[in-house]
Amino acid sequence: GSLASAEEAITMLGEANAAERTVSENAEAYRPIHREVRDIEQAMRTVEEEKEELAVQLRRVSGDNAEARKAAISEKIEALDNHMQTLLASIPAEWESADAEFSKLRDAENKARASYRKSADGSYEPIAKITAALDATDDLQALEPALLDLKRQIEESEPADMLVPIAELSSQFGDIEGASKIKSAVSKARSALKSKKPKKDKAIDSVDKAIKEYNKELEWRLQARDSLNEGLKNYQAVVGGTLGIRQQEKLTRQQALYVARCSAEHRDISLNF
């Protein structure tokens, strides 16, 4: 699956770059009308703010000559309404279609970028999880005695006395990559003992399930660690700095300097608003 995602990511990167070029090629034709309409809309917002201020003044008018002053304010509001209609009518007739078309191109680019990132992540993340699981094989084996002894402890101990030890063991399995099913089964054993009416038999059943999951996990890890781990790590190293770069905990110095240089360059994002 990771290899398939890697091939797909390379294709999607080409499509994303092509979509970016299309947006860039159409941006210059779109920019004048975009700027014109945004200026008109800014003027309309200014008119709206002036109307709101006058409306407040109108409500507060009182005292001498109140009616005359109200009439004067109402006249200003009417003039602003007329100006608003003039501004609205000045928006080019082709604006909606031009904006919709450019938005479609921009959405296509964003979709292509998202598809590329999904495929790129998919080319690296599963392999990283597998190698992390294989590297934790010794840690998994170290918990075997505690897991196998858990049934005896449950049978011989008071349920309340087992809550903390089981919680600790569950947490230890939780720290091991790929051992979530074992952790879940151990946690269910604790839940059975924590209920108002503790059920030891149910807790022991959950431990049996945990042991079954443990044996399955250990079996494949022991086989794969010797036969696959080296090859998987070689693949991981190859794609880690390219397709898998978003999954890294930190950038190398070279990568960080490259990103800093790119981020320092001016980018015109005005057409996005």
Side-chain angles (χ1 to χ4, degrees), residues 30-39 95 270-271 273:
Y30 173 70
R31 191 182 306 280
I33 191 172
H34 175 271
R35 183 180 292 120
E36 179 184 0
V37 172
R38 292 298 181 247
D39 287 344
W95 161 244
S270 61
L271 297 184
F273 303 97

Side-chain angles (χ1 to χ4, degrees), residues 202-240:
K202 189 173 180 180
I204 290 173
D205 286 342
S206 293
V207 173
D208 284 335
K209 291 179 182 178
I211 293 173
K212 182 178 179 180
E213 289 295 338
Y214 174 87
N215 289 332
K216 286 169 58 178
E217 278 294 320
L218 187 62
E219 180 180 8
W220 83 261
R221 290 178 194 232
L222 289 175
Q223 293 179 28
R225 184 174 62 175
D226 296 333
S227 60
L228 297 178
N229 205 21
E230 183 178 355
L232 291 175
K233 286 195 171 185
N234 288 338
Y235 170 86
Q236 190 177 348
V238 168
V239 301

Side-chain angles (χ1 to χ4, degrees), residues 63-103:
D64 298 338
N65 300 319
E67 291 305 316
R69 284 185 286 150
K70 283 184 178 180
I73 294 173
S74 296
E75 187 176 339
K76 291 180 180 179
I77 291 175
E78 184 178 355
L80 288 173
D81 282 335
N82 292 334
H83 184 41
M84 180 73 82
Q85 291 304 314
T86 300
L87 288 171
L88 189 60
S90 69
I91 295 177
E94 66 272 22
W95 161 244
E96 286 191 8
S97 60
D99 184 53
E101 185 62 30
F102 191 76
S103 295

